[in-house]
Amino acid sequence: MATIVGGVGTSHIPAIANAIRNELHTDPYWEPFFDGYGPVHEWLAEAAPDVAVVFYNDHGLNFFLDAMPTFAIGAADAYASDDEGWGIGTVDPFNGHPDLSWHVIESVVAAGFDPTTCQEMRVDHGFWVPTWLLCPERPAGLRVIPVHVNTVQHPLAPPARCEALGVAVGDAIRAWPGDERVVVIGSGGLSHQLEGRRAGFLNPGFDRVCLDALASGDTTPITRWTIPELVELAGSQGVEVINWLAMRGALGDHVTEHHRNYHVPISNTAAAVQVLAATPVPV
Ligand code: DHB
Ligand code: FE
């Protein structure tokens, strides 16, 4: 049976990519941010995942406003990045795991979800910045399953629905007969708004409520909110926290918060990283 080793929630700000490329890890602006990732790397080295399931939102690279799936799951052999216009370049393609992808797709469809299935899929910074940040060396055997959650074109799936998708993905992985070790990543957030009159809006109080709820066994402080309430509280891009909620759903009831780091701001965003180790069910 495949094992879910735990989950990591992390911001995916594009500027992180250039900070990595320019080796700004000890620059005064970036140090408090990158320092938060040392314990994550140590935990990942011990947890030794060989598959990463990444809940993220595409920002207009693979999907655009003309045709925006609420949920989409990759089932490709490989996933390439491409020029997004941010000046952040591209990274080497990621290896997929089509057999496990199709198993996850079949399971979540049987559980009542209707994802778009993508046998070709380009992945944007929402996918690759977290994956690069967490696995800078990218172990040769690492395979990925991208799960896109729409946070761009309203209406968005409500928070509880995103968490339920995560539960269905987690159930599917645990039912897979292979011996893969799977880490689940939730990408984006936390509070930020990039456009309009509230550009630059941040809400550390909201962010703390989310991090505490994700670490606890009770996510209702987040799932009770509607999407318009989330936009109000988190900013229009802060809704990306629904990716973290999907990640949390996949982990099952019992998690231990292994690590968190919160640093405001990086670019226009409240940057956060949180490691939730999956703990065995007590007997
Ligand atoms: C920024 C944050 C994002 O989530 C994003 O997708 C793009 C940019 C930012 O803060 O710069
Ligand atoms: Fe984003």
Side-chain angles (χ1 to χ4, degrees):
M1 304 288 257
T3 304
I4 296 180
V5 295
V8 185
T10 174
S11 304
H12 62 216
I13 304 152
I16 299 166
N18 281 336
I20 296 174
R21 283 192 219 284
N22 295 321
E23 299 183 2
L24 297 179
H25 302 75
T26 56
D27 175 276
Y29 180 84
W30 286 99
E31 195 165 24
F33 171 80
F34 282 114
D35 276 357
Y37 286 82
V40 188
H41 294 150
E42 284 162 26
W43 177 77
L44 280 167
E46 203 155 302
D50 38 45
V51 176
V53 173
V54 186
F55 291 98
Y56 77 109
N57 55 295
D58 184 279
H59 301 71
L61 178 71
N62 195 71
F63 304 115
F64 199 59
L65 303 182
D66 58 332
M68 178 61 67
T70 301
F71 300 128
I73 303 182
D77 289 325
Y79 304 92
S81 58
D82 208 340
D83 183 9
E84 297 175 46
W86 301 95
I88 58 172
T90 57
V91 288
D92 288 343
F94 296 83
N95 293 323
H97 191 332
D99 290 346
L100 182 53
S101 282
W102 281 115
H103 166 79
V104 168
I105 290 164
E106 283 177 20
S107 304
V108 304
V109 169
F113 291 89
D114 309 297
T116 299
T117 54
C118 301
Q119 297 184 72
E120 288 185 11
M121 192 181 198
R122 289 179 302 160
V123 286
D124 82 346
H125 70 275
F127 175 90
W128 67 256
V129 166
T131 311
W132 195 22
L133 195 51
L134 301 184
C135 303
E137 309 302 333
R138 209 186 299 169
L142 186 74
R143 292 184 284 177
V144 301
I145 301 182
V147 183
H148 155 86
V149 175
N150 169 32
T151 72
V152 173
Q153 170 88 324
H154 289 255
L156 314 184
R161 179 82 174 150
C162 298
E163 182 182 53
L165 174 70
V167 171
V169 169
D171 287 345
I173 293 165
R174 282 181 289 270
W176 173 249
D179 59 3
E180 286 87 342
R181 294 175 65 76
V182 180
V183 66
V184 186
I185 297 173
S187 165
L190 287 175
S191 60
H192 62 301
Q193 172 148 343
L194 301 177
E195 81 294 323
R197 273 187 305 185
R198 287 210 309 168
F201 173 81
L202 301 170
N203 187 347
F206 165 88
D207 296 333
R208 196 170 329 106
V209 168
C210 290
L211 291 167
D212 289 347
L214 291 157
S216 79
D218 179 12
T219 53
T220 50
I222 316 176
T223 54
R224 73 191 152 105
W225 284 317
T226 63
I227 290 291
E229 286 168 338
L230 265 188
V231 170
E232 186 69 33
L233 288 164
S236 49
Q237 282 76 41
V239 289
E240 290 171 348
V241 72
I242 59 180
N243 293 321
W244 292 49
L245 210 43
M247 171 275 286
R248 178 65 189 86
L251 305 183
D253 290 340
H254 302 279
V255 298
T256 305
E257 185 181 33
H258 181 76
H259 172 70
R260 89 164 65 160
N261 190 57
Y262 182 75
H263 178 67
V264 179
I266 288 292
S267 185
N268 295 299
T269 296
V273 62
Q274 184 178 44
V275 176
L276 301 172
T279 43
V281 180
V283 282

